[in-house]
Amino acid sequence: MNVMGLEIYPSELTFVVGASGSGKSTLLEALGLMTKTAKDSPNFTFTLHTNREEEPLQLHRFWQWDAGYRSKIRSSHFSFIFQQENMFSSLNAVENMLLPSIGLTPTEENSVNQEIMRMSDELLPEVELTKPIMAYSGGQRQRFAFIRALAKPHSVLLADEPTGNLDPLKAQEAINMTKALVEKKESAAVIVSHDIALAIKNADRIILIDKPINNNGVPPIGNISEKHIFSRASKGWESATMKLSDKALNSLIEQSLQSLNSK
């Protein structure tokens, strides 16, 4: 993937859209330090600015650090929601949601528990939380995954198609809660989604990964350019090269997806 000068801002929802195979999940893997995709080189920097550190973290050096420190950084600053809810079948709902709080101080753990109870009341009112996790529907388990990720202390939330198992109403409720928590905690959220309407309605920033067909008919690597990074404006959206209404941006994204998927 070719990425030039990408910035993710705190207190914002950044949606990433693009055709299948364009590199959306690869981008999340790199941002979440799950693979060695982002490597230290003279022409590359990857920096995390956080209120909890005196100096920005130079994450392009992440793989040079010892395993214990890498684990601490990832645990302290990142939280994840995956396409699959990734729940442990031997645990009940509350226990699954509390897993990321292992290792926190008693005060921090109590705060996480309170957040879990509050968000559960919001997203799953009147649902008993002590049943075995597999006793719940897929949509309920996905909402537990939202709560688990949001309750955990973090600087960056990374979500890969987190609303795919939710109906439109429940998806919007989950995104509303995510937006409120991101603003409250001054964290940043990067959400990969195929739901263009959901992105346009809720995003503060939309990144369209472009993957044009080359002369040989072979898709090159995905590309993120300034012209396809759109910020919400007073009337619609703005990038480095254009201003678009909601409708025009929706059309642009759909045309980009159809162009590649038809090849």
Side-chain angles (χ1 to χ4, degrees), residues 86-207:
N86 292 331
M87 298 288 170
F88 286 85
S89 60
S90 59
L91 303 178
N92 65 30
V94 171
E95 291 167 339
N96 266 286
M97 290 186 285
L98 280 171
L99 275 178
S101 67
I102 293 176
L104 297 179
T105 67
T107 300
E108 290 172 329
E109 187 174 343
N110 182 61
S111 177
V112 169
N113 187 61
Q114 291 181 10
E115 287 276 44
I116 287 173
M117 294 301 106
R118 182 188 66 77
M119 288 188 283
S120 296
D121 286 341
E122 182 177 340
L123 285 188
L124 297 130
E126 302 180 3
V127 172
E128 172 59 52
L129 302 178
T130 57
K131 295 187 294 184
I133 194 64
M134 299 313 294
Y136 301 94
S137 69
Q140 288 174 323
R141 293 197 300 271
Q142 191 63 13
R143 280 173 278 171
F144 291 145
F146 264 93
I147 294 168
R148 178 178 60 187
L150 290 169
K152 173 187 177 295
H154 61 275
S155 303
V156 182
L157 172 70
L158 302 171
D160 194 357
E161 296 288 354
T163 61
N165 293 329
L166 302 178
D167 63 50
L169 177 60
K170 298 303 182 185
Q172 185 59 57
E173 290 176 351
I175 293 299
N176 286 345
M177 189 174 68
T178 302
K179 190 174 184 67
L181 262 293
V182 163
E183 292 176 352
K184 176 183 176 181
K185 296 183 176 183
E186 296 185 334
S187 58
V190 183
I191 302 172
V192 164
S193 181
H194 281 102
D195 192 332
I196 301 172
L198 190 73
I200 290 176
K201 181 176 181 179
N202 297 284
D204 298 292
R205 196 175 308 272
I206 294 177
I207 298 170

